[in-house]
Amino acid sequence: MTAQDLDALYQEIILDHYKNPHGKGLREHADRTAEVHHVNPTCGDEVTLRVHLADGVVDDVSYDALGCSISQASASVLYDLVVGKGVDEAMAIHQEFLTLMQGKGTVEPDEDVLEDGIAFAGVAKFPARVKCALLSWMAWKDATAQLVATNSPAGDGDKS
Amino acid sequence: MALEGLLPELAVIRKDFPILERELAGGLPLVYLDSANTSQKPQVVIDTMVDHLERHNANIARAMHQLGAESTEAFEAARDKVAAFIGAPERDEVIFTKNASEALNLVANTLAWAGPRQVGAGDEVVITEMEHHSNIVPWQLLTQRTGATLRWFGITDDGRLDLSAIDELITERTKVVSLTWVSNMLGTINPVAAITKRAHAVGALVVVDASQAAPQLPIDLAAMPADERPDLVAFTGHKVVGPTGIGVLWGARAVLDVLPPFLGGGEMIETVRMESSTYAGIPHKFEAGTPPIVEAVGLGAAVDYLGHIGMDAIHAHEQAITGYALQGLQTVKGLTVLGPLDPAARGGAISFELDGVHPHDIAQVLDSRGVAVRAGHHCAKPAHARFGVQSSTRMSSYLYTEPSEIDALVEALEYTRSYFKLD
């Protein structure tokens, strides 16, 4: 790869999120929290991520992550994009981000949906780094799906 | 600049490796510092393999025609060359496998099965915290399957094996001691002879992972005193300038003869009846099926090439480059080397951390400058955990590495610091 490719990968926005991550740290909530731990076995990057739902809305995403700038910045962008959104809308954003990352650089990102997430368009061209960008997103989806599953009509919001 | 110990014919040696001449994207020259991961291949290895495929290809040991004879001869000549490379007491003690992992798994599996060396409940297997995963997981599987106990040597703060409790660790209960000769992460050269002596005193088998040692240390098994000589030694072909797909297990005849067969199939038998079979002697007993023939032939050419240059000279070259690299790396602000700082006590793999930049990001920026290194846990997660780190960046040199490539690495690390806006 060349210096230009490098700048395409490490957009300013990504480096900013890496230096000053949003929502970092694990936070306690009294109810309706799911916590997951995901690992990228190739490189050893890890994330522990908690999701808190309230009335069908993603109330909080808190996380503790070890990893490269791409994986750290993507967790920060995830926090910005899904907190405060309804679960369905947040899942749609997740799908949009997934499509972008799996598009091998051919997908034109929608800034209205992905906001700072469009900075990861360059990452999609580096197959080795796509997993870094998706680590916390996959963890979020896993935790949220667990919560939604326990939130079936009979569910009463027990902590899992 | 003249660095003492460098191979005198370095410029000529570099010409033997065609890949070193290629350009990367953007017209950058290649600075290949990932040889502990896999080494590059000299023209003679490439040509030998092509020649075998073009002119001598046939299955071995069963084809009753001229090509079959030529192919068999080439394959068995490769075994002779490997035996000479490691100073094997007997050429038939050299078993071809597909890689070092398979060689180690061969030993760990057959030790679980009935036989005079069988490991069972109450027995202990001793490994070390600095092993590659391929010398940890097979022993975990063995001890879990047999009810034996897995124990291990820890690592000191300066990256050496902590041998202070060796007599409590290697005891009458110990059946196997398995350790790496040279750490793939810390670079540490372990005192194999001393540990083997202690293990033999209690009747334990000693298995040595020589994947990182075989490329850079002269090995002469026959010259080692019997009580200090390991019983089994594994290494892989692709790290000694040979191809992938071929590995080596050397074992003392007395041990290999009593281990049960590993894989069953063609070539490993003496005779087969429907009720049961009898088995071939070593080495064929452990080489079921058509082996990687051209890979073995390529490995033969590879160890011949290294032997021609001389392993003493290659070791001296590695030490000179490693010393130069340790000096250069320590000029980079915020950089910490993991492992011994004395080039005489270590091999050519140097893992390090750089404050404020993750190893993946370092490797990515280095790659944009044409410098190829490895980032991650290098299949040695426990050794990383011992130092409280999750991953590291590793540079590793070989006989074709020149000092200017170390300069390029150091310069690229400085660039990395500025790219990530570290002061």
Short mmCIF file of all heavy atoms in Angstrom, two decimals, chain B residues 6 68 84 94 106 116 139 149 199 212 219 233 254 301 322 324 332 338 343 389 396 418:
data_model
loop_
_atom_site.label_atom_id
_atom_site.label_comp_id
_atom_site.label_asym_id
_atom_site.label_seq_id
_atom_site.Cartn_x
_atom_site.Cartn_y
_atom_site.Cartn_z
N LEU B 6 28.84 -9.70 10.12
CA LEU B 6 27.97 -9.82 8.95
C LEU B 6 28.55 -10.84 7.97
O LEU B 6 29.76 -10.99 7.89
CB LEU B 6 27.85 -8.47 8.22
CG LEU B 6 27.03 -7.37 8.85
CD1 LEU B 6 26.87 -6.23 7.86
CD2 LEU B 6 25.68 -7.87 9.30
N GLY B 68 9.98 -43.16 -11.18
CA GLY B 68 9.73 -43.52 -9.79
C GLY B 68 11.04 -43.67 -9.03
O GLY B 68 11.16 -43.22 -7.88
N ALA B 84 22.02 -34.49 7.82
CA ALA B 84 23.32 -33.83 7.93
C ALA B 84 23.17 -32.44 8.54
O ALA B 84 24.02 -32.00 9.35
CB ALA B 84 23.97 -33.73 6.54
N VAL B 94 15.03 -39.32 10.82
CA VAL B 94 14.40 -38.10 10.29
C VAL B 94 13.06 -38.46 9.66
O VAL B 94 13.02 -39.20 8.67
CB VAL B 94 15.32 -37.41 9.25
CG1 VAL B 94 14.60 -36.26 8.56
CG2 VAL B 94 16.60 -36.92 9.93
N LEU B 106 2.19 -35.29 16.39
CA LEU B 106 2.51 -36.72 16.24
C LEU B 106 2.99 -37.26 17.59
O LEU B 106 2.54 -38.30 18.06
CB LEU B 106 3.60 -36.87 15.17
CG LEU B 106 4.04 -38.28 14.74
CD1 LEU B 106 4.78 -38.20 13.40
CD2 LEU B 106 4.93 -39.00 15.75
N PRO B 116 5.08 -48.45 25.89
CA PRO B 116 5.94 -48.28 27.07
C PRO B 116 6.09 -46.82 27.53
O PRO B 116 6.44 -46.56 28.68
CB PRO B 116 7.29 -48.86 26.62
CG PRO B 116 7.22 -49.03 25.15
CD PRO B 116 5.78 -49.10 24.77
N TRP B 139 -0.24 -30.48 24.07
CA TRP B 139 0.01 -31.03 25.41
C TRP B 139 -1.21 -30.84 26.30
O TRP B 139 -1.46 -31.66 27.19
CB TRP B 139 1.26 -30.40 26.02
CG TRP B 139 2.44 -30.60 25.12
CD1 TRP B 139 3.11 -29.66 24.40
CD2 TRP B 139 3.07 -31.86 24.80
NE1 TRP B 139 4.10 -30.24 23.64
CE2 TRP B 139 4.11 -31.58 23.87
CE3 TRP B 139 2.85 -33.18 25.18
CZ2 TRP B 139 4.92 -32.59 23.34
CZ3 TRP B 139 3.67 -34.18 24.65
CH2 TRP B 139 4.68 -33.88 23.74
N THR B 149 -1.30 -34.33 34.32
CA THR B 149 -1.30 -32.93 34.76
C THR B 149 -0.30 -32.13 33.92
O THR B 149 0.83 -32.59 33.69
CB THR B 149 -0.90 -32.84 36.24
OG1 THR B 149 -1.83 -33.64 36.98
CG2 THR B 149 -0.93 -31.41 36.75
N ALA B 199 15.80 -33.51 33.02
CA ALA B 199 14.65 -34.35 32.65
C ALA B 199 15.08 -35.81 32.49
O ALA B 199 14.37 -36.72 32.94
CB ALA B 199 14.03 -33.83 31.34
N GLN B 212 12.30 -22.05 15.52
CA GLN B 212 13.07 -20.80 15.42
C GLN B 212 14.56 -21.04 15.57
O GLN B 212 15.37 -20.17 15.24
CB GLN B 212 12.60 -19.79 16.48
CG GLN B 212 11.14 -19.36 16.35
CD GLN B 212 10.87 -18.54 15.09
OE1 GLN B 212 11.76 -17.94 14.51
NE2 GLN B 212 9.61 -18.53 14.67
N ILE B 219 23.10 -26.83 14.69
CA ILE B 219 22.61 -27.94 15.50
C ILE B 219 23.38 -29.19 15.11
O ILE B 219 23.44 -29.54 13.93
CB ILE B 219 21.09 -28.16 15.30
CG1 ILE B 219 20.32 -26.92 15.77
CG2 ILE B 219 20.61 -29.40 16.07
CD1 ILE B 219 18.80 -27.02 15.55
N VAL B 233 12.99 -33.72 18.25
CA VAL B 233 13.18 -32.32 17.84
C VAL B 233 12.31 -32.06 16.61
O VAL B 233 12.36 -32.84 15.65
CB VAL B 233 14.67 -32.04 17.50
CG1 VAL B 233 14.83 -30.62 16.96
CG2 VAL B 233 15.56 -32.26 18.71
N ALA B 254 15.55 -45.26 19.58
CA ALA B 254 15.01 -46.02 20.71
C ALA B 254 13.63 -45.52 21.12
O ALA B 254 12.79 -46.30 21.58
CB ALA B 254 15.97 -45.92 21.90
N ALA B 301 17.26 -29.04 -0.79
CA ALA B 301 18.06 -28.00 -1.43
C ALA B 301 18.27 -26.82 -0.47
O ALA B 301 19.34 -26.19 -0.46
CB ALA B 301 17.36 -27.53 -2.71
N THR B 322 20.96 -8.49 14.93
CA THR B 322 20.10 -8.35 16.11
C THR B 322 20.65 -7.28 17.05
O THR B 322 19.90 -6.46 17.58
CB THR B 322 19.97 -9.71 16.83
OG1 THR B 322 19.47 -10.67 15.90
CG2 THR B 322 19.03 -9.63 18.01
N TYR B 324 22.54 -4.76 16.24
CA TYR B 324 22.36 -3.47 15.57
C TYR B 324 20.89 -3.02 15.70
O TYR B 324 20.60 -1.85 15.96
CB TYR B 324 22.76 -3.61 14.10
CG TYR B 324 22.75 -2.32 13.33
CD1 TYR B 324 23.68 -1.32 13.61
CD2 TYR B 324 21.82 -2.09 12.32
CE1 TYR B 324 23.67 -0.12 12.90
CE2 TYR B 324 21.80 -0.91 11.60
CZ TYR B 324 22.73 0.08 11.89
OH TYR B 324 22.73 1.26 11.19
N VAL B 332 14.22 4.86 19.55
CA VAL B 332 12.87 5.34 19.26
C VAL B 332 12.16 5.63 20.57
O VAL B 332 12.03 4.75 21.43
CB VAL B 332 12.08 4.30 18.43
CG1 VAL B 332 10.66 4.80 18.15
CG2 VAL B 332 12.81 3.99 17.13
N LEU B 338 10.53 -6.38 24.26
CA LEU B 338 10.13 -7.47 25.15
C LEU B 338 11.14 -8.60 24.95
O LEU B 338 11.31 -9.08 23.84
CB LEU B 338 8.73 -7.96 24.78
CG LEU B 338 7.63 -6.90 24.85
CD1 LEU B 338 6.38 -7.35 24.10
CD2 LEU B 338 7.27 -6.61 26.30
N PRO B 343 22.28 -9.41 22.70
CA PRO B 343 22.14 -10.12 21.42
C PRO B 343 22.73 -11.52 21.44
O PRO B 343 22.32 -12.39 20.66
CB PRO B 343 22.87 -9.22 20.42
CG PRO B 343 23.63 -8.22 21.20
CD PRO B 343 23.01 -8.13 22.56
N VAL B 389 0.73 -7.58 28.14
CA VAL B 389 0.37 -6.97 26.86
C VAL B 389 -0.47 -7.96 26.07
O VAL B 389 -0.39 -9.16 26.25
CB VAL B 389 1.60 -6.53 26.04
CG1 VAL B 389 2.40 -5.49 26.79
CG2 VAL B 389 2.49 -7.71 25.67
N SER B 396 11.85 -9.51 12.44
CA SER B 396 12.73 -10.66 12.47
C SER B 396 13.58 -10.70 11.21
O SER B 396 13.09 -10.53 10.10
CB SER B 396 11.94 -11.95 12.65
OG SER B 396 10.89 -12.03 11.72
N SER B 418 5.13 10.15 14.24
CA SER B 418 4.64 11.45 13.80
C SER B 418 3.25 11.30 13.16
O SER B 418 2.40 12.17 13.33
CB SER B 418 5.63 12.11 12.85
OG SER B 418 5.70 11.39 11.64
#
